[in-house]
Amino acid sequence: MTFGFTPSTAASTTDPSAAAAIPDPAQSPTRLLEPAEWSAAEIPLLRNPREVVSGLHARHRPTPATAVVAVLDQEERVRASASFARRSSVADGWVFRNALLAQLRRVIPHDLRRRTPVRTAVLLYCRDGDGLWTQEDGAWMWGLRDACTLHGLRCGAYITLTQEGWQVLGEGRAGRRPSAGSRPEDLAEVETPPPRMGGVASELLRRAAAR
C-alpha cells in the first residue's frame, strides 16, 4: 500500500536539495488498481447487489461525476452514506482517498479500535461511458481501499453507474436498472425490512425492554 505525504514548507525552504527531490504532482504516477489487483484483493461479494445499488440510487439520485460512498452492516443494511461531486481534474487515487475519507469521517465513527472490521464500505460512481474498467475506476478503487484501511472498515464493492446500467467491477454482475438516466425507485420498495421475530425471541425482547 502506498501513502503520500506533503512535505513541510520549512523543509522546502531550508533544504534546496530536499525541495528538488519532491516530485511534481502533475508528473507523479497515478495511484490506481488494475482489475487483476482488485480481484486478488478478495473483496467481499454483495449478496444482493441490485438492492444495494437501487437503494443508493433512490437515496442520492447521482448524476455523472458523482460518487456515493456507503457503509453497510453485516446484514447489508445501509448505516450511513454520502454523495459528492468529483472535483479533481486528475484521476489520482490519493486525491480520491482523501475525498472519501472526509465523507466517511463526516457520516460515521471509525472502527479502528476493533481487531477485525465488522462494517463494509462500498462505492457507487456515476459516470459517462460504458461499464468497462477505466483508469479513473482504478483510481477510485485505490482510494476506496485506502480510505477503508484508515477508517477501520472492510473494503467492499466498487460499482459503476452509466447509461447502460450498473456493474460491480471485478465480479461480472450487472443490470440495466437503475442506470444513470433512469428514474429512482421508491426507497420503501427497494429496502429490505428488518426480520420479523415472534415467539420466544419477541418475549425475551419484551422482558428486556420492561426492565
Side-chain angles (χ1 to χ4, degrees):
M1 188 174 297
T2 305
F3 293 88
F5 297 91
T6 303
S8 65
T9 305
S12 61
T13 54
T14 57
D15 187 353
S17 61
I22 299 171
D24 182 354
Q27 299 178 355
S28 60
T30 302
R31 300 162 181 87
L32 57 82
L33 292 177
E34 298 283 347
E37 296 176 294
W38 183 256
S39 299
E42 298 182 352
I43 303 300
L45 301 178
L46 290 171
R47 292 195 297 271
N48 193 336
R50 187 189 182 283
E51 182 178 295
V52 172
V53 173
S54 297
L56 296 180
H57 186 249
R59 276 188 176 87
H60 297 278
R61 305 190 177 194
T63 56
T66 300
V68 180
V69 61
V71 178
L72 311 179
D73 64 14
Q74 293 174 306
E75 301 301 321
E76 283 194 4
R77 291 188 293 262
V78 176
R79 290 308 181 190
S81 63
S83 62
F84 59 98
R86 173 186 168 178
R87 301 189 182 280
S88 173
S89 59
V90 180
D92 191 324
W94 187 15
V95 175
F96 292 167
R97 183 275 307 273
N98 291 340
L100 290 169
L101 193 57
Q103 296 297 326
L104 289 171
R105 287 171 173 168
R106 184 174 65 85
V107 299
I108 198 164
H110 67 74
D111 278 346
L112 293 172
R113 294 183 180 88
R114 295 182 179 273
R115 292 184 179 181
T116 304
V118 297
R119 295 185 291 190
T120 303
V122 300
L123 178 60
L124 170 72
Y125 184 57
C126 182
R127 62 168 172 77
D128 295 321
D130 55 32
L132 298 178
W133 182 90
T134 66
Q135 286 195 342
E136 181 185 24
D137 295 324
W140 280 115
M141 290 172 168
W142 192 99
L144 176 63
R145 186 188 65 176
D146 223 37
C148 289
T149 299
L150 295 175
H151 207 62
L153 301 168
R154 289 199 307 170
C155 179
Y158 173 72
I159 307 159
T160 58
L161 188 70
T162 66
Q163 291 292 338
E164 296 180 352
W166 58 269
Q167 178 164 320
V168 185
L169 294 192
E171 294 186 20
R173 291 189 287 177
R176 293 185 178 181
R177 293 185 63 85
S179 67
S182 66
R183 184 176 180 178
E185 298 180 43
D186 186 353
L187 186 60
E189 295 180 0
V190 298
E191 283 195 324
T192 301
R196 299 180 60 183
M197 292 185 297
V200 177
S202 295
E203 181 64 18
L204 289 175
L205 288 176
R206 188 189 64 78
R207 291 179 181 178
R211 290 176 183 173

